[in-house]
Amino acid sequence: MFPVLALCWLAVFFDGMDVNIYGAVMPHMIDDSGLGLTPATAGTIGSWTTFGMLIGALTAGNLTDWLGRRMMLVASVTLFSLGSGICAVAGGVGIFGAGRFVAGLGLGGLMPLCLAMVMEFAPPRRAALTTGLLMTSYHFGGMAATGLGLTVAPDAGWRWVFWAGVLPAVIAVPLLLKLLPESPGVLLARGCTGEAYAVADRYGLPRPSPVAAPAAGAKGRLAAVRALFDQDSRWATPLLWLASFSGLLLVYGVSTWLPQMMRASGYGLTSSVSFLMVINAGGIVGLLIAGRTADRFGAVRVSAVWFVLTAVGALLLKSHLPLGATYVVVAVTGVFLFSAQVMVYAATNTVYRDSERAAGLGWVTGVGRTGAVIGPWLIGALANSGNQSWGFTTFALAGLLGALAIALVPLARRIGRSDSPAPASVATASVGVGTSDS
């Protein structure tokens, strides 16, 4: 599965770079009087990006029926590269916001597609570890964006940082077109049985069966959504959505606002931007730890504990600690913050069957994007009213809410089973990540 993981890793790297670029250069953009960006409009534009992600995540499934996962990934990368180009030439906040919305459309579809591809090609019982490895790329991309914000923006200007966001269309798209295989499950659903078996055989995968293939077409998509509320999962599904909402509020709130919040707390401009690099470095370490830990103890348990530790870190950041101590707290918080959300994705493997996994992931990420929309807007509103310190309290509350939601998933599954008049085997739903969670 190495080619699939490597190519999806590259795509998510550019995803992380694009998402974090805005936060990395926001202090420079606010200082640019010609652009007219204020803290309030900065938060609104951050929400435009994530609103585009919400639309992209919820529509990617139907477009995948037409284009396939491979071409849909290519389209997603092309779209967010185009959005960065629009931002680079924007003369005012309106055009800039439109560019971020366009980028969001591409970013929203990319993540669930990459997650579904990697989970499909992952070795048995290594889905959490493989998911963690994939998501390290997001944080390497965030660190690259921060590096551009620290080195390019002060001298060349913030626009050149967005020009760097056009590179994915030049680098990743040709590689995806040439080397990435199509999903065997998607091929089977589209009637390409021979090709589906050939891809499965080439990568050492079990040949897909009709029950494992995602349903195609509008009726198939509707049936897939209804399946998320079957007896076994009807109570677990809204809890996964709530956990994802909390996690993405944290991820995008922090990615958008951490440098400006730390600057408002009295830290210097360079230090404030570098905190974004430090928290992403912590995120890489956290994902490697969380993946292995979840394969042993279960993704649900790991996600719940990680959410609680994120809340503790957010409360510590509310205090103005010495610079060295702040770097440590930011790094440790990053260890838990990002992987708490990724383990929510991994936990879907314990709840949904193979035929439901893509729809389940799409809706967990899609509904979770409402948190990504609200997070940047809410912190921007607090900043505009002079209450930026309350942003850390907001992050802590989101962490506790996410912990409660994900921790209740095993109980919700047991309740669903007890409600079923004729319990059936759900062994296939538990293959992969953290079977001890179910």
Side-chain angles (χ1 to χ4, degrees):
M1 70 154 300
F2 178 76
V4 175
L5 178 60
L7 290 166
C8 288
W9 195 98
L10 180 64
V12 176
F13 170 87
F14 285 122
D15 178 307
M17 189 177 82
D18 193 284
V19 168
N20 285 273
I21 275 178
Y22 185 40
V25 300
M26 185 190 292
H28 298 282
M29 295 176 67
I30 290 176
D31 290 344
D32 183 354
S33 58
L35 183 64
L37 189 69
T38 66
T41 56
T44 300
I45 288 174
S47 293
W48 289 356
T49 310
T50 51
F51 183 64
M53 290 180 180
L54 172 62
I55 296 173
L58 294 178
T59 58
N62 287 324
L63 292 175
T64 300
D65 289 339
W66 176 40
L67 295 173
R69 283 183 187 161
R70 174 172 165 270
M71 289 306 299
M72 194 60 206
L73 278 174
V74 169
S76 297
V77 173
T78 302
L79 202 55
F80 71 71
S81 298
L82 173 63
S84 287
I86 294 172
C87 290
V89 300
V93 293
I95 299 299
F96 181 85
R100 293 307 292 160
F101 176 77
V102 170
L105 292 173
L107 294 167
L110 186 140
M111 189 67 75
L113 287 166
C114 284
L115 285 166
M117 286 285 286
V118 166
M119 284 187 177
E120 183 176 8
F121 282 82
R125 301 189 62 81
R126 286 294 178 265
L129 176 60
T130 306
T131 301
L133 288 172
L134 171 68
M135 293 304 297
T136 61
S137 61
Y138 177 92
H139 302 292
F140 277 112
M143 294 174 69
T146 308
L148 291 170
L150 288 170
T151 58
V152 176
D155 297 324
W158 60 266
R159 294 181 187 276
W160 281 101
V161 180
F162 281 99
W163 278 121
V166 180
L167 290 176
V170 179
I171 297 173
V173 166
L175 292 174
L176 291 170
L177 286 171
K178 184 176 181 179
L179 301 175
L180 185 69
E182 183 55 273
S183 154
V186 169
L187 288 170
L188 185 65
R190 297 170 71 184
C192 304
T193 304
E195 192 175 350
Y197 289 171
V199 173
D201 294 344
R202 188 184 316 140
Y203 288 90
L205 304 174
R207 288 187 172 186
S209 61
V211 71
K219 289 184 178 179
R221 290 293 165 188
L222 184 58
V225 173
R226 284 199 302 266
L228 304 183
F229 292 90
D230 283 347
Q231 292 283 358
D232 285 352
S233 56
R234 64 180 179 182
W235 300 113
T237 289
L239 288 170
L240 288 170
W241 290 359
L242 183 58
S244 184
F245 169 90
S246 303
L248 288 175
L249 187 153
L250 282 163
V251 168
Y252 287 95
V254 168
S255 297
T256 302
W257 278 103
L258 182 64
Q260 187 62 23
M261 288 171 68
M262 301 304 281
R263 189 184 186 192
S265 296
Y267 297 95
L269 177 59
T270 300
S271 296
S272 297
V273 174
S274 65
F275 286 135
L276 194 59
M277 178 175 287
V278 171
I279 203 167
N280 276 291
I284 294 170
V285 175
L287 286 167
L288 296 175
I289 295 172
R292 289 189 175 275
T293 307
D295 279 331
R296 181 175 180 183
F297 297 105
V300 167
R301 291 191 181 96
V302 171
S303 182
V305 173
W306 264 224
F307 269 124
V308 171
L309 294 173
T310 298
V312 173
L315 290 176
L316 287 174
L317 289 176
K318 190 174 182 179
S319 305
H320 189 90
L321 301 171
L323 184 60
T326 302
Y327 274 117
V328 173
V329 172
V330 169
V332 173
T333 302
V335 169
F336 302 114
L337 187 158
F338 299 102
S339 50
Q341 171 63 22
V342 173
M343 290 302 105
V344 174
Y345 298 148
T348 63
N349 218 38
T350 71
V351 175
Y352 303 122
R353 294 179 289 270
D354 289 347
S355 58
E356 301 163 2
R357 186 174 299 138
L361 272 173
W363 279 88
V364 166
T365 56
V367 175
R369 295 293 182 191
T370 57
V373 172
I374 290 173
W377 168 81
L378 180 57
I379 305 304
L382 291 171
N384 196 52
S385 63
N387 295 310
Q388 289 190 87
S389 63
W390 281 94
F392 294 112
T393 303
T394 301
F395 293 149
L397 292 174
L400 294 176
L401 179 62
L404 178 63
I406 194 67
L408 289 174
V409 166
L411 175 61
R413 293 196 67 210
R414 287 195 292 270
I415 292 173
R417 288 169 181 166
S418 66
D419 289 344
S420 177
S425 172
V426 291
T428 55
S430 299
V431 174
V433 185
T435 54
S436 59
D437 289 331
S438 54

